[in-house]
Amino acid sequence: MRLWIKDPLAILAPEAERGVVVEGAEIVECVGRGGTPAAPFGATFDASRHVVLPGLVNTHHHFYQTLTRAHPAGFGKELIPWLMAMERVWDRMTPEALRIAARMALVELLLSGCTTAADHHNLFPPGLENAIDIEVEEAKALGLRMTVTRGSMGISERDGGLQPDSIVQDSDAILQDSERVLKLFHDPRRGAMIRVALAPCSPLAVPQRVMTGSAELAERYDARLHCHLCQSLDEDAYAVQAFGKRSVDLLEDAGWIGPQTWVAHGIHFNDEEIVRLGHVGVGVAHCAAADMAFGMGVCPTFDLEAAGMPVGLGVDGSASNDSSNMMEAVRHSLMLARLRYGPAAITPLDAFRWATEGSARCLGRDDIGAIAPGMQADLALYRLDEPRFSGAQDPIAALALCGAHRADRVMVAGRWRVIDGAPEGIDLEALIASHKAAAKAFA
Ligand SMILES: [Zn+2]
């Protein structure tokens, strides 16, 4: 049945003033000013009180961290001491706890208007070998589109690394499970609901064999590669001291420098690296909240884009953000870019471009991130009837500038997954109660 989402208050799409027509999982028509749908439609949705955006796309997260938000073990610490302290909390993660953590992260994202999520799951203590399977099950149950990244950590304290022995895996186990989940879950086709990417935590956190082996597997299965890169100045200092090379060069040695790769943070590239990465289109998941939380510096978003690098947004893990709200990520990225480039250089539309088209490019997708015929029907609809919007003149800019927080309606692949601000099929109060109860084990 064709559904006309009719007469939006505003819509982030060209020549769609009278809305869009959805059929099955796709947008089939944009209806311009003064027009009506070209083909008969079976239903209408009155969007006259809604601002319609393409569904937001999150490119970096750590779902399990929703159980350790605002955790005192992390207070007052720089990035590495924070990570070392928190990893000794996270190593208690169980399959049951991960399931409830993922469900909460997905619901939060969805309620903020996110329709596609990428999660960097890199925590595999004994007993949690099926972490990727759990995340796939939860995304399918909720109806979010997802790139689940099979993360890994392979160098522990025993080998001179930072991670506790309890959460690292050996290279064979990492690569075998990477191939297992690619075979089981990865769908490279247009319109896919689940894709798998391979994501060693960073080139410094795994043996080189895991980096090269991941690149080979990604090529064989037409999948993508992801890791943290150039988040802190310390990282490159360590890479040079330990390996005699900067981290971008380690990535190059492993066969990762290509359009199949997107990295998280990407703050501290030098000029030559930006040219090199831009030439081949390596993407960056810009995680403004976490970058500010740790005083990491300001991602050179416009310079990266000018060089040819796709820039998307990520909320990053809920122990550093400490929320999973994609509209907050839009606002944070807008304000942070103004700090670097000045108020004349960036508008809310730039931040929305990052959260939609840019994020979609990071995930290697040309079927999401925009409202146009042939694109997947992933839409986020917001109402401007909260006090924070009262008096706003430009409805789309208002979402970013006044701080929209919650979508009223969210559609993924043509199905409403949020109706009247509530996630379909989820008892939110019960979810919060069970999530809070699970978090007690991580105090
Ligand atoms: Zn991260």
Side-chain angles (χ1 to χ4, degrees):
M1 188 180 65
R2 291 163 71 96
L3 168 69
W4 181 13
I5 298 173
K6 188 180 173 186
D7 293 333
L9 180 64
I11 183 166
L12 189 58
E15 293 169 29
E17 293 83 355
R18 295 217 66 202
V20 294
V21 181
V22 169
E23 184 171 20
E26 287 189 5
I27 295 165
V28 292
E29 188 181 354
C30 288
V31 186
R33 186 171 288 120
T36 53
F41 50 92
T44 57
F45 173 78
D46 175 6
S48 58
R49 298 180 69 180
H50 293 88
V51 182
V52 182
L53 301 183
L56 307 179
V57 179
N58 183 34
T59 56
H60 188 70
H61 204 318
H62 305 284
F63 285 175
Y64 61 84
Q65 294 181 10
T66 58
L67 292 163
T68 57
R69 298 183 221 258
H71 198 297
F75 291 170
K77 291 190 170 70
E78 302 279 335
L79 176 65
I80 297 300
W82 171 85
L83 195 58
M84 292 176 73
M86 294 308 299
E87 280 170 341
R88 283 148 185 84
V89 176
W90 296 327
D91 70 357
R92 301 167 211 164
M93 195 65 57
T94 62
E96 297 74 25
L98 176 64
R99 185 175 295 283
I100 203 77
R103 192 174 301 167
M104 177 57 83
L106 285 160
V107 165
E108 271 188 279
L109 286 166
L110 185 63
L111 288 175
S112 73
C114 174
T115 51
T116 300
D119 189 49
H120 190 171
H121 185 86
N122 52 18
L123 188 71
F124 290 88
L128 199 55
E129 289 80 7
N130 284 342
I132 301 303
D133 311 55
I134 290 168
E135 293 204 345
V136 169
E137 285 165 19
E138 289 301 316
K140 282 184 171 173
L142 209 57
L144 243 85
R145 218 179 280 285
M146 199 169 162
T147 293
V148 189
T149 80
R150 202 295 179 190
S152 51
M153 294 190 274
I155 301 176
S156 70
E157 287 169 322
R158 202 170 33 210
D159 306 310
L162 300 174
Q163 281 80 31
D165 297 338
S166 55
I167 57 171
V168 304
Q169 291 182 302
D170 70 42
S171 301
D172 285 337
I174 292 167
L175 292 171
Q176 280 166 16
D177 193 57
S178 296
E179 184 157 21
R180 179 185 74 83
V181 295
L182 280 167
K183 278 183 179 166
L184 261 181
F185 303 122
H186 181 56
D187 180 359
R189 294 171 299 179
R190 197 174 167 79
M193 293 301 290
I194 301 289
R195 288 188 179 168
V196 174
L198 301 184
C201 188
S202 90
L204 308 173
V206 293
Q208 207 203 13
R209 192 171 145 240
V210 173
M211 293 296 290
T212 54
S214 297
E216 286 163 16
L217 282 170
E219 188 173 4
R220 198 178 325 146
Y221 288 89
D222 189 16
R224 296 179 74 74
L225 293 165
H226 181 54
C227 68
H228 295 95
L229 202 75
C230 290
Q231 179 176 9
S232 71
L233 286 167
D234 292 350
E235 174 190 322
D236 265 317
Y238 175 75
V240 169
Q241 178 212 324
F243 302 98
K245 293 182 177 189
R246 287 172 57 85
S247 44
V248 170
D249 297 319
L250 293 173
L251 216 60
E252 178 124 46
D253 290 350
W256 277 50
I257 302 292
Q260 76 281 22
T261 298
W262 88 104
V263 300
H265 302 287
I267 302 169
H268 298 293
F269 301 125
N270 63 31
D271 292 346
E272 178 275 324
E273 288 166 347
I274 291 176
V275 171
R276 194 171 7 144
L277 298 173
H279 186 65
V280 295
V282 169
V284 165
H286 171 39
C287 303
D291 296 347
M292 288 188 281
F294 290 111
M296 292 285 97
V298 185
C299 181
T301 40
F302 281 123
D303 297 273
L304 303 182
E305 279 192 313
M309 298 174 73
V311 171
L313 299 186
V315 299
D316 207 351
S318 300
S320 59
N321 182 315
D322 295 60
S323 86
S324 312
N325 192 300
M326 269 302 287
M327 281 300 289
E328 268 186 9
V330 168
R331 190 162 195 244
H332 287 148
S333 69
L334 170 64
M335 296 307 178
L336 196 55
R338 284 182 171 177
L339 200 59
R340 181 171 190 130
Y341 294 102
I346 174 165
T347 73
L349 294 182
D350 293 303
F352 284 126
R353 181 182 68 254
W354 296 332
T356 56
E357 294 169 45
S359 285
R361 288 180 65 204
C362 282
L363 300 186
R365 301 196 68 136
D366 59 6
D367 55 349
I368 60 171
I371 296 174
M375 301 297 279
Q376 289 289 297
D378 292 5
L379 302 168
L381 284 69
Y382 302 84
R383 286 170 59 153
L384 304 184
D385 42 14
E386 291 172 67
R388 70 201 315 157
F389 299 114
S390 185
Q393 304 290 339
D394 179 321
I396 292 177
L399 295 177
L401 296 177
C402 307
H405 211 256
R406 193 155 171 172
D408 182 61
R409 286 243 170 186
V410 180
M411 174 180 277
V412 190
R415 289 186 61 181
W416 292 118
R417 296 297 186 176
V418 173
I419 294 177
D420 298 335
E424 281 291 283
I426 291 283
D427 179 339
L428 206 49
E429 272 186 36
L431 172 61
I432 292 168
S434 51
H435 187 265
K436 276 185 180 172
K440 287 197 167 78
F442 300 88

